[in-house]
Amino acid sequence: MKKILFLLLLFAACYELQAQVVTVKDAETGLAIHDASFISNNPSRFLETNTEGQVDISSLKGIEVIQIIKLGYTTQKLSYQTIVDSGLIIQLTPFSISGERVIISANRWKQNAGDIPFRSTSITPIEQELQNPQTAADLLAASGEVFIQKSQLGGGSPMIRGFSTNRLLYAVDGVRMNTAIFRGGNIQNVISLDPYSMERTEVLFGPGSVLYGSDAIGAVMSFKTLDPQLSLTNKPLIKGSAATRYSSASSEQTFHFDFNIGWKKWALLTSISANDYGDLKMGKFGPEEYLRPFYVGRMDSTDVIITNNDPRIQNPSGYQQMNLLQKVRFKPNDRWEFDYAFHYSETSSYSRYDRHIRYKNGAPRYGEWRYGPQTWMMNLMSISHSAKKGLYDQMSIRLAYQYFEESRISRDFNDVSRENRIENVFAYSGNMDFTKALGKRHNLYFGAEYVLNEVVSRGINEHILTGQKTAGSARYPQSNWSSAGVYLTHHFRATDALIIQSGMRYNQFLLDADFNTDFYDFPFSSAELNNGALTGSVGAIWRPSNKWSVSSNISTAFRSPNVDDIGKIFDSEPGSVIVPNPDLDAEYAYNVDLGITKVVGDYLKIDVTGYYTLLENALVRRNYTLNGQDSIVYDGELSQVQALQNAANTTVYGVQTGFEADFGKGFGLSARFNYQFGMEELDDGSINPSRHAAPFFGVNRIFYRYEKLRVEFNMQYSGGRDFEDLPISEQNKPHLYAIDDNGNPYSPSWYTLNLKWRYELGQRFVVGGGVENITDQRYRTYSSGLTAPGQNFILSLKMNF
């Protein structure tokens, strides 16, 4: 009898466990909703539905308030018992304008974005499929809130709130991607990320140094990749997709495949993408200066100028790329989870197009200038734990190893000497993050981070006729850069209408560099840094009703000098050469934001955010001397010596605003507009426009949604810059710009009209496409060397299984 009773109790327990599987559906279509979030603040818990719209909520038992959030749907707040009593079926009602959503980047934990006093934006997988971006840089641009500069097709350097490159931070699955050789000029590391493997892309605007440490001054760009899905039944969960994409402007051919198999405790995910891009074709109507009438070729061991049969073809600009993602997930119980991820990306070599349009004495400046294959690899081990009591509610540990390789290969026109500069970075990092609810109104987020970058740089000079190779000067000193920090953030729900968040971080950063004096007679052979930085933030969000929201945030940020700042040698522009400067300090930013959001009925949402940022002790290029000389011969040319110096203050202020309107019957309208203005001190105390404060830009969209069809017609645009409004450094780069009536370079304003569509064919197929730059405009985004695509036809097909 006891055995029978025991078996009955065991069966009941198993049934109870099975009974906690909730299914979330669209209230109108009845379809399952993937990635619906279940959030509890007390205690701190987070769950998410799988591709079947299901989630096991047994770990939420007894919790009184659970938020069920999905972008595009009305948020529900239910108790655990209410969910169980409802039959474990939750129906979410579609909301015509974007409502509440989940954000990860604000505190490293998934939260309701409406509870965070920072401005942010997210790009969902469906929105990504509609926009059909070619690269991760284009994915960011699709938000309408990130400006992208391009020096070559294999590139894309974001500009956000007047900052770019190493004053912005990239995070992939919670791990910083910035390295010690992220430079102040434009970078292209973001193309190492595969848009097809993205589960969520977020941009957190303004300083993020409390959480992310150095570099997070203008914004944090957070990329969350696909996760393996577990099965909630006794059958394996097998899901996957195959996709292909074609675009006419670069004759692009892209292929993608991903596969997921999940059991109750184990799950595996594989994602592979391959891309082939041809030379990019520019538009028909625009400045003649952008045309490419000829290019450099090689004949009979001589560089020759070859007439371009189609001057709109930007030769050379094409390249190839492949991306691989492999993840393993192990969840032994509701409390523990172990995840391993392997990321790998590699490009072919690709030409830096803006160097190919530089001229010297009427002839091309270079016979060749290209980047060698760009490689990025990351091994990431993540451990998470949910505790019933104790020091924390949730814990996350991330241990990562990243490897970066990049190289620059250049040769002057009809010169037999080729220079190859190769850089390798070995990046190790460890993060420990915790959450703890203290009662119903207080939540703590705290943790620690350690980062170590080992930089190995070497130079090789090659005689292209004989093949003889000799040692050349390296771009960087052999260096170690490290950072250690601890942080604490307090989230206080003062009332139902008022939330206050404050945080603080202390960071210690160290740098050791050894310079090779065989090629340059530096007055030093080593450099060391050992400094600390204290940053903080305090912000509040006030919601007097569900139709109004007012938020404000005051924050500081810092950027410690890295190896690129202290130790590189390169030609920044014609007639100038950057040399090392070991006497640098950190730069500090002070920022204030004020944002207001108003919802009118269920058909209109308006938001506006104003900000002001002061960057003190800014690292800027200034004239310098090397061994008492203000000019040296570099690469065969007498060049002005310059170095990065803590020599200026920079101020940036601006406005980010937009609206969404629902007209009913599936029709709607939205707009995003960004205005930023930056000023930088010069040596003589005068003021000069900041180089990375882009002209105003934005996007207007008219869209239609009906069941499985989405259609969007949009206009993207940007203001221009007259010669007088260009930074002095840009005035000295006429090859990048159009020429005005006075013979001076300037950046013209531009716009494009674009059509995008997406249609679901049954349960398995998704067809997408569109036409970009319908009117075939010829334009360059500000500060870019590459002319943007002309009229571009896109077609994509995705099969789900």
Side-chain angles (χ1 to χ4, degrees):
M1 184 66 183
K2 290 182 179 180
K3 290 183 178 180
I4 294 175
L5 181 60
F6 173 77
L7 290 174
L8 289 174
L9 291 173
L10 180 61
F11 176 80
C14 293
Y15 176 80
E16 175 68 16
L17 181 62
Q18 180 67 25
Q20 311 320 307
V21 177
V22 175
T23 301
V24 181
K25 296 183 177 181
D26 186 299
E28 295 183 359
T29 66
L31 298 176
I33 298 178
H34 180 213
D35 287 339
S37 303
F38 287 62
I39 298 178
S40 165
N41 292 323
N42 183 29
S44 297
R45 294 286 187 270
F46 179 89
L47 298 172
E48 203 166 56
T49 58
N50 63 15
T51 54
E52 304 292 324
Q54 296 181 327
V55 62
D56 184 349
I57 64 166
S58 56
S59 62
L60 304 180
K61 187 173 183 179
I63 293 178
E64 297 178 358
V65 180
I66 302 170
Q67 299 180 77
I68 298 96
I69 301 174
K70 174 68 176 179
L71 183 64
Y73 292 85
T74 300
T75 296
Q76 294 190 27
K77 294 183 179 180
L78 305 171
S79 68
Y80 173 86
Q81 194 58 47
T82 300
I83 296 174
V84 173
D85 293 342
S86 68
L88 299 174
I89 300 292
I90 295 176
Q91 294 187 331
L92 296 183
T93 304
F95 195 52
S96 53
I97 56 178
S98 64
E100 294 181 306
R101 55 188 170 84
V102 170
I103 186 170
I104 303 174
S105 52
N107 286 310
R108 290 191 188 271
W109 300 96
K110 296 177 180 177
Q111 297 174 273
N112 187 338
D115 293 342
I116 305 300
F118 302 95
R119 183 181 181 87
S120 64
T121 190
S122 301
I123 304 172
T124 64
I126 289 181
E127 183 66 20
Q128 177 180 318
E129 284 187 0
L130 175 66
Q131 298 303 328
N132 246 324
Q134 183 167 282
T135 67
D138 300 322
L139 174 63
L140 289 168
S143 69
E145 299 185 76
V146 178
F147 191 91
I148 298 295
Q149 180 277 350
K150 289 190 177 184
S151 298
Q152 64 279 330
L153 185 59
S157 187
M159 295 183 181
I160 304 175
R161 287 193 171 188
F163 297 102
S164 71
T165 60
N166 55 19
R167 291 181 181 134
L168 303 175
L169 190 126
Y170 302 77
V172 182
D173 290 343
V175 178
R176 65 179 287 139
M177 192 183 190
N178 294 41
T179 72
I181 63 171
F182 265 39
R183 58 188 182 273
N186 301 305
I187 59 176
Q188 61 272 358
N189 299 72
V190 72
I191 69 165
S192 293
L193 306 178
D194 178 16
Y196 280 96
S197 69
M198 292 302 152
E199 185 175 275
R200 182 185 287 108
T201 302
E202 299 173 356
V203 182
L204 184 70
F205 297 98
S209 282
V210 168
L211 194 64
Y212 293 94
S214 179
D215 303 2
I217 291 177
V220 174
M221 291 164 285
S222 176
F223 300 87
K224 178 68 180 69
T225 60
L226 297 171
D227 278 330
Q229 299 291 313
L230 296 167
S231 174
L232 298 177
T233 68
N234 291 323
K235 295 182 179 179
L237 176 64
I238 299 176
K239 288 286 183 180
S241 69
T244 183
R245 180 183 189 272
Y246 170 80
S247 65
S248 62
S250 60
S251 300
E252 173 201 354
Q253 299 179 67
T254 290
F255 301 95
H256 169 78
F257 174 81
D258 63 74
F259 176 76
N260 180 100
I261 181 169
W263 299 271
K264 285 189 173 182
K265 295 184 178 181
W266 288 89
L268 305 174
L269 180 138
T270 301
S271 173
I272 303 172
S273 294
N275 317 90
D276 191 327
Y277 308 109
D279 291 334
L280 184 65
K281 186 174 184 178
M282 66 182 75
K284 183 182 296 184
F285 305 104
E288 298 290 318
E289 294 85 3
Y290 297 167
L291 292 173
R292 179 74 164 150
F294 55 82
Y295 57 91
V296 174
R298 192 86 178 150
M299 292 184 181
D300 298 326
S301 301
T302 303
D303 290 331
V304 296
I305 295 175
I306 300 174
T307 300
N308 195 352
N309 292 330
D310 186 348
R312 293 166 57 196
I313 298 294
Q314 299 176 82
N315 184 344
S317 57
Y319 73 105
Q320 295 80 44
Q321 181 170 339
M322 65 86 64
N323 285 78
L324 170 66
L325 171 65
Q326 178 65 58
K327 287 190 175 183
V328 180
R329 181 181 182 185
F330 175 52
K331 190 174 183 179
N333 52 51
D334 291 332
R335 301 291 178 185
W336 288 94
E337 184 170 324
F338 302 85
D339 296 273
Y340 168 75
F342 174 76
H343 299 256
Y344 185 82
S345 173
E346 184 174 355
T347 70
S348 65
S349 62
Y350 54 94
S351 295
R352 180 166 171 176
Y353 183 78
D354 67 339
R355 294 300 174 102
H356 285 270
I357 58 176
R358 282 173 57 172
Y359 302 96
K360 182 179 180 181
N361 299 325
R365 174 71 172 82
Y366 295 101
E368 56 182 306
W369 209 118
R370 67 183 187 275
Y371 290 105
Q374 177 174 291
T375 301
W376 171 64
M377 179 186 70
M378 180 168 74
N379 290 275
L380 171 62
M381 183 69 195
S382 302
I383 303 170
S384 60
H385 179 240
S386 298
K388 292 184 177 180
K389 58 182 180 179
L391 177 66
Y392 60 85
D393 293 334
Q394 291 180 291
M395 174 195 73
S396 175
I397 298 175
R398 296 180 181 88
L399 303 174
Y401 162 67
Q402 297 180 79
Y403 170 76
F404 301 81
E405 179 173 321
E406 57 186 56
S407 58
R408 294 161 178 82
I409 304 162
S410 63
R411 182 177 58 81
D412 286 353
F413 186 71
N414 270 327
D415 194 329
V416 296
S417 179
R418 175 189 292 142
E419 297 180 344
N420 190 353
R421 302 296 178 258
I422 306 165
E423 282 74 55
N424 303 103
V425 179
F426 305 87
Y428 310 86
S429 63
N431 295 81
M432 297 181 65
D433 300 290
F434 305 88
T435 69
K436 179 64 179 179
L438 301 176
K440 295 183 178 181
R441 296 191 178 274
H442 300 268
N443 287 81
L444 296 181
Y445 304 89
F446 56 99
E449 177 186 59
Y450 178 75
V451 178
L452 170 64
N453 283 191
E454 297 177 357
V455 178
V456 177
S457 182
R458 63 189 189 276
I460 300 173
N461 295 335
E462 178 184 2
H463 193 291
I464 63 172
L465 298 182
T466 65
Q468 182 180 3
K469 295 181 179 180
T470 58
S473 62
R475 180 178 172 89
Y476 297 115
Q478 312 311 304
S479 312
N480 287 337
W481 180 92
S482 61
S483 168
V486 292
Y487 75 92
L488 172 66
T489 296
H490 176 215
H491 192 267
F492 174 41
R493 191 175 296 272
T495 68
D496 290 342
L498 178 64
I499 295 174
I500 301 172
Q501 179 168 302
S502 58
M504 183 174 292
R505 178 188 182 105
Y506 179 77
N507 216 103
Q508 192 75 15
F509 49 90
L510 299 91
L511 187 150
D512 294 303
D514 293 321
F515 292 88
N516 186 335
T517 57
D518 292 342
F519 300 94
Y520 298 100
D521 186 20
F522 297 129
F524 45 81
S525 59
S526 63
E528 294 183 0
L529 283 179
N530 187 351
N531 289 314
L534 181 66
T535 55
S537 68
V538 59
I541 182 166
W542 178 51
R543 289 194 293 258
S545 72
N546 60 359
K547 302 294 184 181
W548 279 97
S549 175
V550 180
S551 63
S552 183
N553 184 63
I554 301 173
S555 53
T556 64
F558 78 99
R559 189 177 77 83
S560 64
N562 63 19
V563 176
D564 184 87
D565 298 317
I566 284 181
K568 85 180 157 190
I569 303 175
F570 86 116
D571 56 330
S572 61
E573 58 192 33
S576 297
V577 59
I578 300 290
V579 300
N581 179 9
D583 300 318
L584 296 178
D585 294 318
E587 50 187 17
Y588 288 86
Y590 305 87
N591 179 83
V592 60
D593 280 66
L594 176 63
I596 300 174
T597 300
K598 170 64 176 175
V599 177
V600 180
D602 60 356
Y603 59 86
L604 179 63
K605 179 181 179 182
I606 305 170
D607 68 88
V608 59
T609 299
Y611 60 89
Y612 176 88
T613 305
L614 169 64
L615 184 66
E616 288 188 341
N617 224 22
L619 292 168
V620 293
R621 292 201 305 259
R622 292 289 185 264
N623 290 342
Y624 196 63
T625 60
L626 184 63
N627 294 322
Q629 295 182 312
D630 61 6
S631 298
I632 62 173
V633 175
Y634 178 78
D635 202 13
E637 182 176 352
L638 185 64
S639 301
Q640 168 70 53
V641 175
Q642 295 184 329
L644 287 176
Q645 302 173 52
N646 296 108
N649 289 342
T650 299
T651 59
V652 180
Y653 59 86
V655 174
Q656 295 172 284
T657 186
F659 71 87
E660 301 173 51
D662 177 53
F663 301 145
K665 305 294 185 181
F667 288 95
L669 175 68
S670 69
R672 305 294 337 156
F673 175 78
N674 309 269
Y675 172 80
Q676 47 280 315
F677 186 75
M679 300 299 290
E680 177 184 299
E681 284 183 306
L682 298 179
D683 280 341
D684 60 5
S686 62
I687 301 298
N688 184 57
S690 178
R691 175 188 174 194
H692 291 136
F696 70 80
F697 68 97
V699 59
N700 301 329
R701 311 180 196 269
I702 300 175
F703 55 84
Y704 175 72
R705 300 167 183 167
Y706 178 72
E707 294 183 350
K708 298 181 179 182
L709 173 67
R710 295 186 65 178
V711 181
E712 176 182 294
F713 179 78
N714 69 57
M715 180 180 74
Q716 299 184 27
Y717 60 89
S718 172
R721 287 279 171 82
D722 293 334
F723 173 75
E724 295 77 12
D725 298 324
L726 285 175
I728 292 176
S729 61
E730 296 301 294
Q731 292 177 356
N732 295 326
K733 302 174 184 176
H735 59 289
L736 300 183
Y737 295 100
I739 303 300
D740 64 19
D741 293 337
N742 297 319
N744 294 318
Y746 79 106
S747 180
S749 60
W750 56 266
Y751 76 93
T752 61
L753 301 178
N754 313 279
L755 176 68
K756 300 292 180 70
W757 56 272
R758 176 186 183 272
Y759 183 70
E760 298 178 20
L761 292 170
Q763 298 290 322
R764 292 188 177 274
F765 294 93
V766 178
V767 182
V771 185
E772 295 178 335
N773 196 359
I774 295 172
T775 58
D776 215 11
Q777 300 296 300
R778 183 187 305 143
Y779 70 99
R780 285 180 184 164
T781 59
Y782 164 73
S783 193
S784 295
L786 185 77
T787 306
Q791 193 175 80
N792 188 24
F793 294 90
I794 300 172
L795 181 63
S796 67
L797 176 64
K798 180 180 180 181
M799 181 185 72
N800 298 307
F801 59 89

